[in-house]
């Protein structure tokens, strides 16, 4: 929902989260360990602190859940990238068949300029070829590599073929056009 047509109005939204999950990650979901509802009311500091607290609690409750560890890593990335990467290492060891975990770790490595990002994206795509986000993140990582424009372009095109509304892939395409 965007624009001002329904500004200051409550709206109801229904989603099939099972189908959303399958489309996003290209696999069946694991057990539900938590349900979260997020709202934006303008107090970013308090929201971020709650995220860290939730991640710490989830880590304590589900230390052997790859899903929980991976989501903790995503929540903790901005505070402690090394801890986030370590959590994703653990999650990948628990679920070596989960391509989305490898893609998330690749994205964290790529953002931090750490080695292994492209290898993680390659593994993710091998494991879950329909995960559009992995192609988009690999495309963005390739933009930072000298001489990788054609690979970045191919990855962005593949991501958009899988998910035409994927913003990350559109940003890569725009970056390629701007050069």
């Amino acid at each position: 929902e965007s624009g001002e047509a329904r500004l200051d109005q409550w709206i109801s939204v229904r989603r099939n989260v099972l189908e959303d999950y399958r489309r996003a990650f290209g696999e069946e979901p694991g057990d539900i360990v938590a349900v979260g509802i997020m709202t934006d009311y303008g107090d970013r500091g308090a929201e971020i602190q709650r995220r860290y607290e939730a991640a710490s609690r989830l880590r304590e409750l589900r230390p052997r859940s790859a899903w929980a560890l991976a989501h903790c890593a995503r929540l903790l990335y901005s505070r402690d990238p090394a801890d986030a990467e370590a959590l994703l290492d653990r999650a990948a060891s628990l679920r070596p068949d989960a391509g989305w975990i490898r893609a998330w770790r690749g994205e964290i490595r790529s953002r931090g300029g750490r080695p292994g990002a492209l290898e993680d994206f390659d593994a993710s795509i091998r494991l879950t070829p329909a995960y559009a986000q992995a192609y988009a993140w690999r495309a963005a990582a390739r933009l930072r590599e000298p001489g990788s424009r054609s690979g970045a372009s191919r990855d962005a095109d593949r991501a958009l073929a899988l998910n035409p509304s994927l913003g990350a892939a559109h940003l890569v395409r725009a970056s390629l056009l701007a050069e």
Side-chain angles (χ1 to χ4, degrees):
E1 188 78 26
S2 64
E4 296 186 13
R6 297 173 77 181
L7 188 65
D8 295 324
Q9 297 177 33
W10 284 97
I11 60 169
S12 295
V13 177
R14 298 189 95 177
R15 300 291 312 180
N16 183 330
V17 294
L18 178 60
E19 287 304 315
D20 288 347
Y21 187 95
R22 288 174 178 151
R23 187 172 35 262
F25 300 113
E27 65 184 13
E28 292 298 310
D31 294 336
I32 294 174
V33 296
V35 174
I37 299 172
M38 295 187 71
T39 60
D40 181 7
Y41 54 89
D43 185 357
R44 295 284 298 151
E47 175 190 338
I48 290 169
Q49 183 59 36
R50 278 192 301 281
R51 283 184 183 191
Y52 296 140
E53 290 167 4
S56 295
R57 184 73 180 129
L58 185 57
R59 182 193 285 181
E60 291 169 14
L61 290 172
R62 301 295 301 245
R64 296 204 39 82
S65 166
W67 183 92
L69 293 171
H71 281 77
C72 287
R74 295 290 288 183
L75 291 169
L76 295 174
Y77 170 75
S78 63
R79 177 184 261 178
D80 189 347
D83 188 30
E85 186 176 348
L87 285 170
L88 286 165
D89 289 343
R90 178 76 179 128
S93 73
L94 291 169
R95 285 282 314 276
D97 61 328
W100 62 272
I101 292 173
R102 299 294 292 272
W104 287 13
R105 185 173 66 184
E107 173 61 0
I108 284 176
R109 286 177 169 172
S110 178
R111 282 189 202 177
R114 299 175 61 84
L118 290 174
E119 292 82 359
D120 273 336
F121 296 133
D122 292 344
S124 173
I125 289 165
R126 227 179 8 263
L127 291 164
T128 315
Y131 187 30
Q133 187 67 61
Y135 288 96
W137 282 336
R138 186 171 72 176
R142 284 181 165 172
L143 278 179
R144 296 188 269 289
E145 299 282 323
S148 296
R149 283 177 48 90
S150 63
S153 180
R154 281 192 307 275
D155 282 342
D157 289 346
R158 180 66 181 140
L160 291 170
L162 290 166
N163 181 351
S165 63
L166 187 59
H170 284 288
L171 287 173
V172 170
R173 296 299 295 146
S175 295
L176 288 165
L177 292 172
E179 289 181 357

